[in-house]
Amino acid sequence: MTRSQPRVAIVTGGSGGIGRAIAERLAADGMSVVVHYAGNAERAEKTAKAVTGRGGSAVAHPADVAEPDQVRTLFEEAERRFGGVDVVANTAGIMLLAPVAEFDLADFDRMHRTNVRGTFVVSQEAARRLRPGGALINFSTSVAKLAHPTYAAYAATKAAVEAMTLILARELRGRDVTVNTVAPGPTATPLFLNGKSQETIDHLASLPPLERLGRPEDIAETVAFLAGPARWVNGQVIYTNGGIV
């Protein structure tokens, strides 16, 4: 690949929220983008059209991130359409909340399948296919260290993501591929806001010293840094939360 050719990014969960902001930001940085989605084709197509409408290159493609054959096809589509894969921003995930004593184990298994197995399957394929100079960015949560009540099951899945990410960074020694995790704090997305009272939202917005919720664009900024110039940042968990401790 010559330097005149654009880099190529796959954004899992790219149809909305943080994923869409990342897809649009990476495209603005000149990358061709594959917008992955699990179920909502219309939203994914809107994201792709938002990119192409600004002169970028994007295509939407479905996959169940927990199914290796479907993830393999996702990567093959990126290679077929754009020539290879340089960046994977792995935002796909679900969040289900309840106290440990009340948590439904079927919900736990469903969340584990997407957040842990799904991240592992995508990371596995990324490890096999990312080109030199590439970057894999997985997603955790600041709650993994903040330990808010009702978040135990969700935080447990994200702690697993952190562990596999840090180990994979070391396993890819000599490949010139970075592997990092972004751990957002409270961010104003439909996934985060769903089911929360205004009182709860206001409280969470007051926690950072900057006294606001994060925006999807804030998280996309960090991903763009890791996907592009941050070649000396590797094997790290980047807490992107406005200073919550």
Side-chain angles (χ1 to χ4, degrees):
M1 186 176 94
T2 66
R3 291 186 182 275
S4 63
Q5 293 174 299
R7 300 175 80 213
V8 180
I10 294 174
V11 181
T12 71
S15 62
I18 290 172
R20 175 168 179 162
I22 290 169
E24 292 182 353
R25 174 55 196 271
L26 296 182
D29 287 347
M31 297 189 197
S32 299
V33 179
V34 177
V35 180
H36 158 269
Y37 65 95
N40 195 324
E42 182 179 359
R43 283 205 313 168
E45 291 291 349
K46 285 182 179 178
T47 301
K49 287 178 180 177
V51 169
T52 58
R54 298 186 183 102
S57 297
V59 62
H61 192 84
D64 179 342
V65 292
E67 290 298 327
D69 289 345
Q70 295 187 35
V71 171
R72 191 176 306 116
T73 299
L74 174 68
F75 277 75
E76 289 171 350
E77 176 69 4
E79 292 171 343
R80 184 183 71 82
R81 293 292 294 262
F82 301 123
V85 181
D86 301 287
V87 173
V88 175
N90 196 13
T91 77
I94 60 175
M95 181 172 66
L96 304 171
L97 305 179
V100 170
E102 301 169 15
F103 206 93
D104 187 291
L105 289 180
D107 286 342
F108 182 87
D109 290 342
R110 181 160 67 94
M111 192 160 54
H112 189 281
R113 184 180 187 277
T114 298
N115 295 1
V116 180
R117 178 184 164 107
T119 297
F120 191 91
V121 170
V122 172
S123 296
Q124 187 174 59
E125 203 63 32
R128 294 166 177 166
R129 294 179 183 264
L130 281 171
R131 295 185 286 201
L136 168 62
I137 302 111
N138 284 327
F139 267 73
S140 180
T141 173
S142 291
V143 177
K145 72 171 183 177
L146 298 175
H148 293 315
T150 74
Y151 280 82
Y154 176 67
T157 68
K158 293 304 187 175
V161 169
E162 293 184 12
M164 70 176 76
T165 299
L166 303 187
I167 291 169
L168 180 57
R170 288 148 180 80
E171 291 179 348
L172 294 184
R173 173 182 290 273
R175 286 275 305 279
D176 189 22
V177 171
T178 61
V179 187
N180 293 287
T181 290
V182 172
T187 305
T189 67
L191 175 69
F192 174 79
L193 297 174
N194 182 45
K196 291 183 173 66
S197 67
Q198 189 60 48
E199 181 182 6
T200 298
I201 293 169
D202 291 343
H203 169 69
L204 293 169
S206 74
L207 295 178
L210 298 175
E211 295 188 333
R212 66 171 175 85
L213 293 177
R215 306 182 188 99
E217 293 77 15
D218 296 321
I219 313 306
E221 185 78 21
T222 301
V223 171
F225 174 64
L226 294 172
R231 299 308 303 165
W232 200 234
V233 180
N234 190 29
Q236 303 299 316
V237 178
I238 310 297
Y239 289 95
T240 311
N241 60 25
I244 299 176
V245 294

